Amino acid sequence: MTGQKSGKSALFAWSISGIGVLSSFAGIIFAYQYRAITVVDTYVTWQSRLIGLIPLVLGLLIGGLIAARQPKNRAGWALLAGMFASSFQTLVESLGIYGYRLGHWPDGLIVLLSFFAGVAWTSTFAMVSLLLLWFPNGDYLTRRWRITGWITSVAMVLGIAGASVMAGPLAMVAPLDNPFGIPGLGRLPELILVWSAFTIFGMALLGVLSIIIRYRRSSEIARQQIKWFGLGATLFGIILASDLFFELPGLWESVKESLGLAFLPLTIGISILRFRLYDIDLIIRRTLQYTLLTGLLALAYFGGVVVLQGLLEPLTGSGQTPLVTVVTTLIVAALFSPLRARTQAFIDRRFFRQKYNAEQMLDAFARIARDEVDLDNLAGALLGVVEGTVQPRGVELWLGEGRR
């Protein structure tokens, strides 16, 4: 019976994933069609939607894989449900805009599609909160944390209900009045909708807090899983924050944002499925090392350009000479190796102290083993290295008698 249930769960998960992928591509097809109906640009072009399929399809496939392999893990189902709701939103938005621009579809159908788009958006937001609360093992942190899941579900239902009866235009697809709106309720539906959004956002923040608490309480495997998720969230945050400083031209900005979003389902899949789980320490170490190294080299390059221009300007009358670029490039090339070594040592001392201490002890033992000839001293040094690096409860050294 267990095998049959597992097979049905896998079939259901892959079916939802496949339908979501088809819905996403169908939405792109309709988005491509309505581009020729009007000369007015919509808020999202079909090219941007196509690029946005990268994280969406990746999330659907990874969510389906997790749900199929670990059907009892609710985090995988939350990821799959959130990605499916987002793909459904892509489809109904494209259909509604297409019908509105074409002008031949009844207003009731367009309003219904707009309503479904709002439901899908709210559901996606709620699934993100539940995913944070259930990550990585699919259960709440403690039994008391179950209340957060109930609050998230109630907020989602009330938000959908508030949007259903709110009078005025439904702006998700087209500026058409909601036929189900009740003007007599005044601003009550709007207040319910705002409360729902803030409540779900608050539950998401509590989900982040629960992940932090899990990291402090959990075993080494769970910590590695949380590190993977933290890496994806950090990379996404860096790419999102980069918009404050620079914006890429044209569709390259959509490519950047899509790649940033793709890090989230990718790292979630690696962490839950435990694929190359312990590589995360090396990835974090290398990321910190080369990020700091790149910043130092950039600072050295631009600083060298400014200094050399200031020195050469009194002699040549102009500091803008090819010599400045050549000399600065040579200086940066000469600084690369020593800066990389010093940067790696600094990061290991600051963030990977235990690993750094173990490497230092191994290097010291290598020097002792090279020069020491007394067996008792060498055995004592070996025992000290094992105790300092592996840190076992007890350690013994057995030396067999040599044969003539």
Side-chain angles (χ1 to χ4, degrees), residues 321-373:
T321 62
L323 180 63
V324 173
T325 304
V326 174
V327 173
T328 308
T329 304
L330 292 176
I331 292 174
V332 171
L335 289 174
F336 179 79
S337 295
L339 266 181
R340 183 179 63 177
R342 291 181 178 272
T343 303
Q344 182 175 350
F346 169 76
I347 290 175
D348 289 342
R349 287 196 306 268
R350 184 65 182 85
F351 300 101
F352 302 93
R353 188 71 192 185
Q354 185 175 2
K355 181 180 180 62
Y356 176 77
N357 292 338
E359 290 179 351
Q360 294 296 316
M361 295 183 69
L362 290 174
D363 291 339
F365 176 74
R367 291 192 295 269
I368 294 174
R370 181 184 60 197
D371 302 329
E372 186 62 58
V373 294

Side-chain angles (χ1 to χ4, degrees), residues 88-104:
F88 182 72
Q89 179 186 350
T90 300
L91 176 60
V92 294
E93 277 188 358
S94 298
L95 281 172
I97 296 175
Y98 176 79
Y100 178 74
R101 299 298 184 189
L102 189 66
H104 296 162

Side-chain angles (χ1 to χ4, degrees), residues 30-148:
F30 280 99
Y32 178 78
Q33 291 295 326
Y34 67 66
R35 68 179 176 82
I37 298 175
T38 178
V39 295
V40 180
D41 293 333
T42 55
Y43 67 100
V44 179
T45 63
W46 73 272
Q47 294 95 334
S48 300
R49 288 178 180 269
L50 181 61
I51 296 172
L53 284 186
I54 298 174
L56 185 56
V57 172
L58 184 63
L60 284 166
L61 295 177
I62 292 177
L65 182 63
I66 296 173
R69 291 195 173 186
Q70 300 182 18
K72 294 183 179 181
N73 192 331
R74 288 181 288 185
W77 290 105
L79 176 62
L80 179 60
M83 293 294 101
F84 178 79
S86 183
S87 66
F88 182 72
Q89 179 186 350
T90 300
L91 176 60
V92 294
E93 277 188 358
S94 298
L95 281 172
I97 296 175
Y98 176 79
Y100 178 74
R101 299 298 184 189
L102 189 66
H104 296 162
W105 289 20
D107 291 346
L109 178 59
I110 298 174
V111 169
L112 186 63
L113 292 172
S114 181
F115 170 73
F116 282 142
V119 171
W121 184 87
T122 306
S123 302
T124 302
F125 196 18
M127 289 302 109
V128 171
S129 298
L130 292 176
L131 173 63
L132 294 173
L133 292 168
W134 291 336
F135 183 83
N137 59 357
D139 203 355
Y140 296 102
L141 181 62
T142 61
R143 289 191 175 183
R144 293 182 178 180
W145 280 78
R146 292 180 179 178
I147 188 64
T148 57

Side-chain angles (χ1 to χ4, degrees), residues 240-253:
L240 191 66
S242 65
D243 292 337
L244 300 175
F245 304 98
F246 67 92
E247 187 173 348
L248 297 177
L251 292 176
W252 289 108
E253 183 66 22

Side-chain angles (χ1 to χ4, degrees), residues 277-296:
L277 193 62
Y278 283 86
D279 287 348
I280 183 60
D281 291 330
L282 179 61
I283 293 175
I284 294 176
R285 186 182 178 192
R286 289 287 184 260
T287 302
L288 291 174
Q289 175 187 345
Y290 285 104
T291 300
L292 182 58
L293 178 61
T294 302
L296 292 175

Side-chain angles (χ1 to χ4, degrees), residues 54-56 58-59 62 236 257-267:
I54 298 174
L56 185 56
L58 184 63
I62 292 177
F236 171 68
E257 294 176 356
S258 296
L259 291 179
L261 279 171
F263 283 121
L264 291 175
L266 182 62
T267 52

